[in-house]
């Protein structure tokens, strides 16, 4: 056990002070013994007097917005002054925004997502003595990366999809980011790793590539083309390798073409896609839901831990919730506090 | 009306200068220059086309395909370097060659076939975006070639080498367009096609030249795009197009005779970059920034159209 398990959302949780205190103390002792580093009680963390840049690649999608707001809210709650910048779903703009944070002389940067274009910006921040805390972007120039358990996500969605297909058939995959983003490399790579044990499942070549902006509409068009190319009986499933915004367009296309026998699987599980999964006879059968808000909050708390002198592990993993079938979607929807379906 | 864009812009600048105090620091100013580079270079191309084709917003010279051409060239160079193991020379030749072909295509569509530049270059822009997607499969390509890293990071006496190169490029464009006989002819064609023809200049040839120059600007911008993004990113042409049009016509609003000039376009690019950095520094939402830029484009283009009407 490490101190990571003490990370809890500060708002919306039930307070059991005594129990929490004892647990925190235990965890602190264990961590201190294990790592010989000071571990600060979550209640004592502060960002008082600190200007914290929070950069996000875009705020159009639930995931990005939640992680962004989670980080902003936690910075405020810890007494810091957040400096938000939004890339408008453009990776280049997102990368350039880090220059602006540098020239604004912030005390730390929380950077959410981003592709290779941000690396030199992280390096410049590090060289200027500004620590960088990344979300879903493992970087040699960052102090710590907060992310979901991508390994578990990749293997779980592989197993669920293989089961839903009955262990055989043809699957098309939207896979634009396996080579560009490490988190996607892990998720899609492990999905493929699982499929090695299902010799009767064939991944259709060439793989498809979805667009980063306007993903649902782009995926809808590409799915309609795919359906023309593979008539009924020749296509059994469509998987999205790293996220699930394209799945919205895929399901739309399947419904338009009357091909809802084709199964859909994807990753992220925000309320928008869980709602689609919960519909009766939805082709969207499996997902793994993340907790983006908690991820953003955790990144902000990690910044506070860093300033308190704690030495952080390279990565902090936040739990994910596997979603299997419509009932699973309803349960996770409720569990994550999105309401009732 | 003609001074409205300049006045509003100056007011915006004063407002940003007051509310974002670090905007006028040396490090921020150098950041503004660096972020303006690709826009400034494509603006040089657009300025050439507008100068040769006349500044009537609808029927005059315009080339909307320069940003897409630049992104296409960047994609080809990145793809060659990373996925095909080509040397730098081969990659540059192929990427820039493709950009020049786009210029030839535009020249043929407009000069030979007689299409409106606005529509012709819109179409070629869509084509360039399509080819880019085919080349890259819509995927990002990371590039760490020493030359690209050099262009991104290198400094000369504390000034970014990329900024210095862009300044030199602007100087070369300036001399060519404003200080040579050929440049004078080009401007004469833009001023009045008939008068130019009477005095023995071939408007068609010079307009074709201007599209080729625009393509050269796109080709040159591609290398700086690769440096800025540490690789090729599909989709980066959209923002570049918006900034190019805004900067070029904004520059005209600042020029003494309210016409598109080379220095006006470069100044426009720097001002647009300053605006972007300034808005972000004071925490303006990215979508509002988009709205404001869109409104400014409308304002500068409308003002250009209005002063054109007055002149007649």
């Amino acid at each position: 056990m490490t101190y990571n398990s003490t990370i809890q959302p500060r708002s919306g949780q039930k307070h059991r002070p005594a129990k929490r205190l004892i647990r925190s103390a235990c965890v602190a002792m264990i961590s201190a013994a294990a790592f010989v580093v000071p571990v600060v009680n979550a209640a004592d963390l502060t960002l008082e007097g600190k200007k914290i840049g929070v950069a996000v690649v875009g705020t159009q999608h639930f995931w990005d917005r939640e992680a962004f707001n989670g980080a902003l809210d936690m910075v405020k709650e810890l007494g810091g002054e957040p400096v938000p910048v939004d890339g408008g779903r453009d990776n280049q703009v997102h990368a350039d925004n880090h220059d602006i944070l540098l020239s604004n002389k912030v005390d730390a940067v929380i950077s959410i997502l981003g592709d290779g274009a941000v690396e030199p910006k992280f390096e410049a921040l590090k060289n200027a003595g500004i620590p960088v805390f990344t979300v879903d972007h493992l970087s040699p120039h960052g102090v710590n990366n907060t992310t979901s358990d991508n390994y578990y996500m990749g293997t779980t969605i592989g197993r669920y999809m293989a089961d839903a297909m009955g262990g055989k058939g043809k699957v098309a995959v939207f896979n634009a980011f396996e080579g560009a983003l490490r988190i996607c490399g892990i998720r899609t790579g492990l999905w493929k790793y699982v499929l090695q044990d299902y010799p009767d499942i064939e991944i259709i070549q060439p793989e498809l590539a979805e667009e980063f902006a306007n993903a649902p509409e782009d995926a809808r068009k590409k799915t309609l083309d795919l359906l023309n190319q593979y008539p009924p009986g020749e296509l059994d499933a469509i998987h999205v390798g790293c996220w699930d915004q394209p799945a919205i367009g895929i399901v739309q296309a399947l419904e338009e073409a009357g091909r809802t026998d084709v199964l859909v699987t994807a990753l992220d599980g925000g309320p928008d896609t869980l709602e689609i999964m919960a519909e009766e006879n939805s082709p969207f059968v499996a997902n793994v839901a993340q907790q983006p808000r908690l991820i953003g909050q955790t990144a902000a708390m990690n910044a506070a831990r860093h300033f308190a002198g704690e030495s952080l592990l390279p990565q902090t993993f936040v739990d994910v919730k596997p979603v299997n079938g419509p009932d699973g979607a309803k349960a996770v929807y409720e569990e994550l506090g999105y309401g009732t379906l | 009306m003609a001074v409205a864009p300049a006045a509003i812009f100056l007011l915006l600048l004063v407002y940003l200068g007051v509310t974002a105090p670090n905007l006028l620091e040396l490090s921020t100013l150098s950041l503004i220059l660096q972020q303006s580079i690709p826009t400034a270079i494509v603006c040089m191309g657009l300025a050439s086309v507008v100068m040769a084709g006349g500044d009537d917003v609808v029927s005059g010279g315009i080339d909307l395909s320069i940003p897409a051409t630049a992104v296409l060239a960047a994609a080809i160079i990145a793809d060659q370097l990373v996925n095909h193991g080509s040397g730098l020379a081969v990659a540059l030749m192929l990427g820039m060659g493709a950009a020049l072909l786009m210029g030839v295509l535009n020249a043929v569509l407009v000069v030979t076939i007689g299409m409106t530049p606005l529509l012709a270059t819109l179409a070629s822009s869509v084509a360039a975006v399509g080819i880019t997607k085919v080349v890259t499969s819509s995927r990002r390509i990371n590039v760490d070639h020493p030359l690209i890293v050099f262009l991104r990071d290198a400094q000369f006496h504390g000034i970014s080498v990329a900024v210095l190169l862009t300044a030199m490029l602007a100087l070369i464009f300036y001399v060519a367009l404003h200080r040579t006989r050929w440049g004078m002819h080009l401007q004469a064609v833009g001023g009045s096609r008939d008068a130019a023809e009477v005095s023995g200049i071939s408007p068609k040839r010079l307009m074709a030249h201007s599209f080729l120059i625009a393509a050269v600007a796109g080709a040159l911008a591609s290398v700086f795009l690769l440096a800025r993004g540490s690789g090729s990113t599909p989709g980066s042409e959209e923002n570049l197009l918006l900034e190019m049009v805004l900067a070029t016509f904004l520059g005209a609003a600042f020029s003494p005779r309210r016409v598109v000039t080379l220095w006006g376009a470069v100044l426009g690019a720097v001002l647009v970059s300053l605006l972007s950095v300034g808005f972000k520094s004071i925490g303006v939402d990215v979508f509002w920034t988009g709205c404001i830029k869109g409104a400014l484009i409308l304002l500068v283009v409308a003002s250009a159209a209005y002063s054109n009407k007055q002149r007649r």
Side-chain angles (χ1 to χ4, degrees), chain A residues 82-283:
Chain A
V83 183
V85 279
D86 177 355
R89 204 86 202 149
D90 182 328
N91 271 308
Q92 186 60 56
V93 177
H94 174 59
D96 290 345
N97 283 346
H98 291 76
D99 290 333
I100 291 164
L101 294 175
L102 176 63
S103 83
N104 269 345
K105 300 184 185 65
V106 293
D107 296 296
V109 169
I110 296 170
S111 181
I112 303 169
L113 293 161
D115 61 17
V118 292
E119 284 300 333
K121 315 290 182 183
F122 288 168
E123 194 176 0
L125 285 164
K126 187 173 86 173
N127 292 341
I130 300 172
V132 179
F133 302 85
T134 56
V135 166
D136 266 12
H137 185 118
L138 193 56
S139 163
H141 310 297
V143 175
N144 162 280
N145 178 42
T146 306
T147 183
S148 286
D149 186 341
N150 299 302
Y151 313 97
Y152 180 67
M153 287 174 80
T155 51
T156 303
I157 201 66
R159 290 194 294 114
Y160 282 10
M161 192 199 76
D163 287 351
M165 292 174 72
K168 60 178 193 300
K170 281 186 183 171
V171 56
V173 59
F174 281 89
N175 183 19
F177 308 112
E178 187 179 10
L181 303 176
R182 179 60 191 144
I183 52 162
C184 297
I186 297 168
R187 292 174 192 174
T188 317
L190 287 172
W191 172 81
K192 287 179 180 168
Y193 185 73
V194 169
L195 293 189
Q196 285 177 8
D197 298 325
Y198 294 87
D200 292 335
I201 294 181
E202 180 199 338
I203 302 173
I204 290 173
Q205 299 296 333
E207 294 174 352
L208 301 160
E210 70 274 27
E211 275 177 15
F212 186 60
N214 312 317
E217 180 51 25
D218 172 62
R220 190 186 77 91
K221 285 188 202 142
K222 285 179 178 148
T223 303
L224 288 173
D225 292 346
L226 184 77
L227 293 175
N228 280 333
Q229 215 180 327
Y230 293 88
E234 289 188 26
L235 175 70
D236 303 284
I238 303 175
H239 177 64
V240 189
C242 196
W243 55 329
D244 65 5
Q245 291 298 310
I248 297 172
I250 296 171
V251 171
Q252 237 179 343
L254 293 177
E255 284 170 353
E256 278 173 46
R259 296 276 299 271
T260 46
D261 56 306
V262 176
L263 303 172
V264 180
T265 55
L267 295 165
D268 268 2
D272 44 1
T273 46
L274 289 177
E275 279 163 23
I276 296 173
M277 290 182 68
E279 283 166 17
E280 212 176 318
N281 299 324
S282 172

Side-chain angles (χ1 to χ4, degrees), chain A residues 281-320:
Chain A
N281 299 324
S282 172
F284 196 163
V285 292
N287 204 329
V288 180
Q290 304 192 56
Q291 305 191 65
R293 191 172 179 80
L294 182 54
I295 290 176
Q297 289 172 326
T298 304
M301 289 179 78
N302 280 346
R305 286 177 191 282
H306 173 82
F307 285 123
E310 204 175 290
S311 112
L312 296 163
L313 290 173
Q315 296 209 74
T316 305
F317 295 103
V318 172
D319 277 352
V320 291

Side-chain angles (χ1 to χ4, degrees), chain A residues 59-60 85-86 88 90 92-93 96-97 99-100 103-105 115-117 120 175-176 180 207-209 211 222, chain B residues 22 25 27-28 31 35 133 137-140 142 152 228-230 233 235-236 239 276-277 280-281 283 286-287:
Chain A
T59 44
Q60 288 96 320
V85 279
D86 177 355
D90 182 328
Q92 186 60 56
V93 177
D96 290 345
N97 283 346
D99 290 333
I100 291 164
S103 83
N104 269 345
K105 300 184 185 65
D115 61 17
N175 183 19
E207 294 174 352
L208 301 160
E211 275 177 15
K222 285 179 178 148
Chain B
N22 69 337
E25 280 173 22
S27 64
T28 315
L31 165 69
Q35 291 202 355
K133 284 182 183 167
S137 321
S138 294
R139 287 176 174 91
R140 176 186 160 79
N142 284 323
R152 185 185 77 204
R228 187 180 71 164
S230 312
T233 311
S236 42
N239 200 36
S276 300
V277 173
K280 279 176 191 157
S281 296
V286 67
F287 301 110

